[in-house]
Amino acid sequence: MGNSFMKVNTLISNVMTIVLTVFMTSCGSQPASEGYAVPKSFHSQQCYLTQGESYIWLEQEDEWLALPAAIRQQMKSTAINWLAENVFIVSMGQKPSAGYGIKLSNWLLEQHHWQVTRITHDPEPGSLQAMMISSPCVLVKIPKTIKSFSLKNEQDQVLGRWPY
């Protein structure tokens, strides 16, 4: 009886060791994954960055400070944390009237790569618009943990990739 009791006790001990080892290994084997949300967009109708369409990727505050004062003033509410965020600006350039717009949509947020589609809006032909020069743009903050970022147009053509 004593011999069989020791065999059962040893068997239970061995099974518990295996179960605990498997449990601890499986818990620690999953990589930590950061969850991302679509970043907030900051829009302006008066960016005046360039005369034509442009895409600007900024990684440091001195790059931001080199931009025209008008864009910095328009986007002063963005509160950029340069240690944790890069900035991406998409500008339509100068337009002859109001009624133009731009937005970023169809975000694909993966662990190290983000992809987004640029959607532009032109005024309807013949519609009444204020006669003024406009310069629509959109700014988003991208976490520095994102290693690559690509912008596509509505026809799925790649317009640019950052960092280069």
Side-chain angles (χ1 to χ4, degrees), residues 63-78:
E63 296 170 325
W64 171 258
L65 295 173
L67 293 176
I71 179 70
R72 293 193 322 266
Q73 183 65 27
Q74 292 286 321
M75 300 293 182
K76 66 182 175 185
S77 67
T78 57

Side-chain angles (χ1 to χ4, degrees), residues 118-160:
R118 179 217 60 198
I119 299 174
T120 58
H121 171 76
D122 294 350
E124 292 292 324
S127 66
L128 294 176
Q129 301 294 327
M131 294 306 295
M132 60 179 268
I133 303 260
S134 65
S135 181
C137 73
V138 60
L139 176 149
V140 292
K141 298 184 287 186
I142 308 296
K144 288 195 183 282
T145 56
I146 301 306
K147 303 301 180 206
S148 68
F149 182 86
S150 57
L151 177 69
K152 292 184 170 190
N153 65 14
E154 295 170 79
Q155 293 74 40
D156 212 33
Q157 296 170 314
V158 175
L159 300 172

Side-chain angles (χ1 to χ4, degrees), residues 6 17 19-20 31 40 45 47 49 60 62 64-65 67 79 81 85 88 97 100 110 117 123 130 132 139 156 158 162:
M6 287 184 66
T17 301
V19 168
L20 286 173
K40 179 181 177 186
Q45 289 296 314
C47 287
L49 281 171
Q60 299 175 20
D62 61 335
W64 171 258
L65 295 173
L67 293 176
N81 176 353
E85 301 166 324
F88 184 61
S97 69
Y100 292 86
E110 295 178 339
T117 302
M132 60 179 268
L139 176 149
D156 212 33
V158 175
W162 296 267

Side-chain angles (χ1 to χ4, degrees), residues 19-130:
V19 168
L20 286 173
T21 302
V22 168
F23 178 73
M24 291 176 69
T25 303
S26 66
C27 288
S29 67
Q30 299 298 319
S33 176
E34 189 172 341
Y36 295 107
V38 172
K40 179 181 177 186
S41 296
F42 298 88
H43 296 266
S44 174
Q45 289 296 314
Q46 306 299 326
C47 287
Y48 299 111
L49 281 171
T50 59
Q51 289 189 0
E53 188 170 311
S54 61
Y55 319 113
I56 300 171
W57 181 266
L58 305 171
E59 296 181 355
Q60 299 175 20
E61 187 174 17
D62 61 335
E63 296 170 325
W64 171 258
L65 295 173
L67 293 176
I71 179 70
R72 293 193 322 266
Q73 183 65 27
Q74 292 286 321
M75 300 293 182
K76 66 182 175 185
S77 67
T78 57
I80 303 161
N81 176 353
W82 291 103
L83 295 175
E85 301 166 324
N86 293 319
V87 169
F88 184 61
I89 304 171
V90 180
S91 172
M92 288 183 75
Q94 290 186 358
K95 299 297 178 188
S97 69
Y100 292 86
I102 188 166
K103 71 177 183 175
L104 301 177
S105 186
N106 304 329
W107 288 85
L108 172 64
L109 308 174
E110 295 178 339
Q111 188 172 2
H112 295 291
H113 174 77
W114 284 11
Q115 178 179 296
V116 68
T117 302
R118 179 217 60 198
I119 299 174
T120 58
H121 171 76
D122 294 350
E124 292 292 324
S127 66
L128 294 176
Q129 301 294 327

